[in-house]
Amino acid sequence: MPMLELENIHTYYGNIHALKGISLTVDKGEIVTLIGANGAGKSTTLRTITGLLKPRNGTVKLEGEDLGKYKAHDIVYKGIAMVPEGRGIFARLTVTENLDMGAYSRTSKPEYDKDVERVFALFPRLKERRNQVAGTLSGGEQQMLATGRALMAHPTILLMDEPSMGLAPVLVELIFSTIEQINKEGVTILLVEQNALMALSVANRGYVLQSGAIVLQDSAANLKKDPTVQKAYLGME
């Protein structure tokens, strides 16, 4: 049984048909990536999974359970957390206070303390700036904080929406290295990323979205070699 399964999802913004029958799976322990152009439906897919958008048709299942009956905050308790596009940090709160916000669903103080140290081990810069106001962090540090905040929910599956957006190349390398490390620690990851080359370099499998529909799916290695993917998303002729 897949850890996460979307089956024939149709999601709308008013009368705009944004997702047109999306079906995909993510198995436990995988990194799966969604690639596609702006407006293809990548972020809408993540928002549908987390309950921020409700599909008109189709089902989202986590370990076989239909999530349609749950509200977005309940889905966090089920084990799904998201690093949103644009980071979405609380700019006026400190680094520690942002991490606290990510842990709102937690009840065990020892486990909370353990996860704080886990985040600081992944991102030593955050430990150095734990009392700094988040809005004064650099873009890369804010991305680290958004990722750390999501990890504080102790998710079994982490959704990441454009984590490399706006970052310098050296920080992009760091973020993707961290994604691999988080996955090695047992967190399943569904990654939305416009940097298709980097995404396919860390993923096990991938789906290509176009105009709200999946037009191609395969192993990451095969997608990197696909002529259509190379031309449209990898900058190769």
Side-chain angles (χ1 to χ4, degrees):
M1 177 190 300
M3 172 172 279
L4 178 69
E5 182 177 13
L6 277 64
E7 186 174 359
N8 195 32
I9 292 292
H10 292 261
T11 299
Y12 289 74
Y13 292 100
N15 292 323
I16 299 172
H17 197 176
L19 298 183
K20 304 167 184 175
I22 294 285
S23 294
L24 62 84
T25 61
V26 182
D27 292 330
K28 184 175 182 180
E30 281 193 307
I31 301 176
V32 174
T33 188
L34 304 180
I35 60 176
N38 281 335
K42 306 185 301 295
S43 295
T44 302
T45 300
L46 298 192
R47 291 172 63 84
T48 302
I49 294 168
T50 57
L52 295 171
L53 294 170
K54 292 295 184 182
R56 289 193 192 175
N57 302 99
T59 56
V60 178
K61 294 180 181 178
L62 180 66
E63 296 182 324
E65 183 180 16
D66 188 348
L67 297 180
K69 59 188 175 183
Y70 296 109
K71 295 182 179 179
H73 64 272
D74 294 320
I75 291 174
V76 176
Y77 284 90
K78 290 290 180 181
I80 298 178
M82 182 163 73
V83 183
E85 181 181 358
R87 296 146 200 159
I89 61 165
F90 299 97
R92 296 186 180 183
L93 302 183
T94 66
V95 166
T96 298
E97 288 168 338
N98 268 270
L99 296 179
D100 288 344
M101 294 297 286
Y104 79 90
S105 63
R106 311 293 298 281
T107 57
S108 170
K109 182 65 163 61
E111 288 185 5
Y112 164 85
D113 291 339
K114 183 178 179 180
D115 282 337
V116 169
E117 290 309 311
R118 176 193 182 200
V119 169
F120 286 158
L122 279 170
F123 303 114
R125 289 194 214 181
L126 295 184
K127 186 171 186 178
E128 296 170 5
R129 293 158 173 73
R130 62 195 308 167
N131 296 316
Q132 186 170 328
V133 174
T136 65
L137 299 174
S138 70
E141 290 163 349
Q142 289 184 12
Q143 185 62 53
M144 296 174 196
L145 181 55
T147 304
R149 181 184 60 191
L151 291 174
M152 287 302 297
H154 206 76
T156 54
I157 182 164
L158 182 66
L159 313 182
M160 305 190 75
D161 195 354
E162 303 286 5
S164 75
M165 181 181 289
L167 300 184
V170 64
L171 291 176
V172 172
E173 294 278 354
L174 174 61
I175 289 296
F176 277 93
S177 175
T178 304
I179 289 170
E180 290 183 293
Q181 181 61 37
I182 292 168
N183 180 246
K184 288 176 182 176
E185 293 179 2
V187 180
T188 303
I189 296 174
L190 179 58
L191 170 66
V192 160
E193 179 57 59
Q194 282 205 327
N195 188 333
L197 183 60
M198 290 296 293
L200 292 172
S201 295
V202 301
N204 303 103
R205 295 187 296 114
Y207 294 86
V208 179
L209 271 65
Q210 184 176 310
S211 301
I214 292 172
V215 295
L216 194 59
Q217 57 181 298
D218 208 331
S219 69
N222 285 342
L223 287 176
K224 285 174 74 172
K225 295 183 290 187
D226 184 276
T228 302
V229 173
Q230 289 182 342
K231 184 175 181 180
Y233 306 110
L234 303 183
M236 303 178 186
E237 292 297 334

